[in-house]
Amino acid sequence: MVGACKPIETKFSAAVCVGIVLMCLSQVSTSLKPDDKLDGLQKLGHTLRKRSVGSETASDTEERSATSCPRGPTAGALAGVPGVPGVPGVPGVNGACGETGPTGATGAKGDMGVEGVPGQKGEAGLPGLDGLKGAKGEVGPPGENGDSGPTSIPLLASCDALKKAGFGVSGTYRIDPDGAGNGSEPFSVVCDMTSDLTVGYTTIHHDKEDGDVKGFEDRGSFIVNVTYDLGRGQVEAIKAVSSSCRQFIKYACIGSLFDGGYQYWISYDGQPMVNWGGVPTGTTGCACGVTATLPVSQLRFGDTGETGEKGVYTLGPLQCA
Ligand SMILES: [Ca+2]
């Protein structure tokens, strides 16, 4: 605010000048009492004369500087009452602004602000990693004793032999048809213990139990090769200790000739067999139920090449007892 600053010397000088003028006016009013002034002259005459000589130069100077003041007896003015103080002069003009002061000291630390509003909830984080595998648990208490079953299954020659020995549950058993320590090693077979009351059937499955026949016209041109679960040596060993074997075979056809040599099967020894049944009434089994010819090694079909001609075959497992 430099512009607001004014030199103060001007105001001070004006105040002193006005004060001098008013003091002179008070001397005029005091001089209106001539008796007091005359008495003063008589009492102080001698002294006044002595001083007037020595101070003549000063008196002349006073007259020139205050020409507006009425001149009275010098002795009266010296004896008069002191005048009233003059009126203060007019304030002088503001002085020039001073130089910028040094930087003040750092103020004290302010109070702590108001607590802020809580922020919004953040997004869900990524799923955590899988935990570490837990430690191995303690060993549990021992279980209760089971029922007393057959302590051991005897190694017999066939399923029928096992059935006769009291094992009536169908399932997988180990047999040794040619005897322990003789011929082939023992092997596992499926035993059918329930399809007959007294007979246990050693059952040998294969890979062609059923299928469609279509698109082959010539006699026996549709060929189905049958592969059994047991090798030929094991099959022969089973047949050797069995009194008979059976295998279910069926062919259902539409628009296709069954007779005439179009459909036949190949025996285990490679002979074409056309006897699909035709057994006399009252005879169990079929004409093909001859141990020497079973099992079926191949199926042959034909007369299914024209529109509306088709067939379905079914071939069961070999069962011997
Ligand atoms: Ca053996």
Side-chain angles (χ1 to χ4, degrees):
M1 299 296 282
V2 177
C5 296
K6 299 291 183 181
I8 199 168
E9 293 177 353
T10 305
K11 292 182 178 179
F12 183 73
S13 300
V16 172
C17 181
V18 173
I20 293 173
V21 172
L22 292 177
M23 184 170 64
C24 293
L25 291 175
S26 66
Q27 288 179 339
V28 173
S29 63
T30 304
S31 66
L32 293 178
K33 297 177 180 180
D35 294 340
D36 295 348
K37 292 176 180 177
L38 289 175
D39 292 340
L41 285 174
Q42 292 174 350
K43 295 176 180 176
L44 301 173
H46 180 69
T47 305
L48 181 61
R49 278 192 291 268
K50 283 187 174 176
R51 293 183 58 186
S52 64
V53 174
S55 60
E56 183 173 358
T57 304
S59 298
D60 292 341
T61 304
E62 185 178 356
E63 287 178 5
R64 288 192 296 269
S65 63
T67 55
S68 63
C69 295
R71 174 172 298 181
T74 304
L78 292 173
V81 178
V84 178
V87 177
V90 178
V93 180
N94 291 333
C97 293
E99 297 179 357
T100 303
T103 304
T106 303
K109 185 178 181 181
D111 295 335
M112 182 178 293
V114 180
E115 184 177 1
V117 179
Q120 295 181 349
K121 185 178 181 181
E123 297 180 355
L126 297 175
L129 300 176
D130 292 337
L132 298 175
K133 184 177 181 180
K136 185 176 181 179
E138 297 179 355
V139 177
E144 297 179 356
N145 293 328
D147 296 333
S148 58
T151 54
S152 63
I153 299 175
L155 184 60
L156 300 179
S158 66
C159 293
D160 188 57
L162 288 167
K163 174 101 174 186
K164 300 291 190 293
F167 298 92
V169 178
S170 296
T172 301
Y173 292 84
R174 282 174 62 79
I175 59 173
D176 190 353
D178 53 13
N182 181 40
S184 61
E185 293 296 314
F187 55 90
S188 296
V189 294
V190 175
C191 291
D192 174 10
M193 305 295 200
T194 56
S195 64
D196 191 280
L197 288 175
T198 59
V199 176
Y201 285 100
T202 301
T203 305
I204 307 167
H205 290 277
H206 59 84
D207 62 345
K208 299 292 183 344
E209 296 199 352
D210 57 62
D212 295 332
V213 179
K214 186 175 179 59
F216 291 80
E217 185 61 23
D218 294 341
R219 291 179 172 83
S221 59
F222 186 93
I223 302 173
V224 178
N225 291 310
V226 183
T227 302
Y228 291 85
D229 295 345
L230 297 179
R232 191 175 188 92
Q234 294 168 328
V235 172
E236 294 293 355
I238 291 171
K239 289 171 62 178
V241 297
S242 299
S243 58
S244 68
C245 291
R246 67 180 189 180
Q247 187 168 19
F248 180 82
I249 183 172
K250 184 179 77 173
Y251 181 66
C253 52
I254 297 177
S256 176
L257 288 175
F258 189 76
D259 295 330
Y262 280 93
Q263 340 289 350
Y264 55 95
W265 56 275
I266 305 299
S267 66
Y268 209 46
D269 56 3
Q271 299 299 314
M273 311 293 284
V274 296
N275 51 331
W276 291 79
V279 297
T281 302
T283 304
T284 58
C286 62
C288 62
V290 182
T291 303
T293 58
L294 291 180
V296 175
S297 64
Q298 192 179 76
L299 296 175
R300 306 293 289 267
F301 301 101
D303 193 25
T304 58
E306 298 177 7
T307 302
E309 298 175 342
K310 61 180 180 181
V312 176
Y313 70 85
T314 303
L315 180 64
L318 175 68
Q319 292 191 307
C320 297

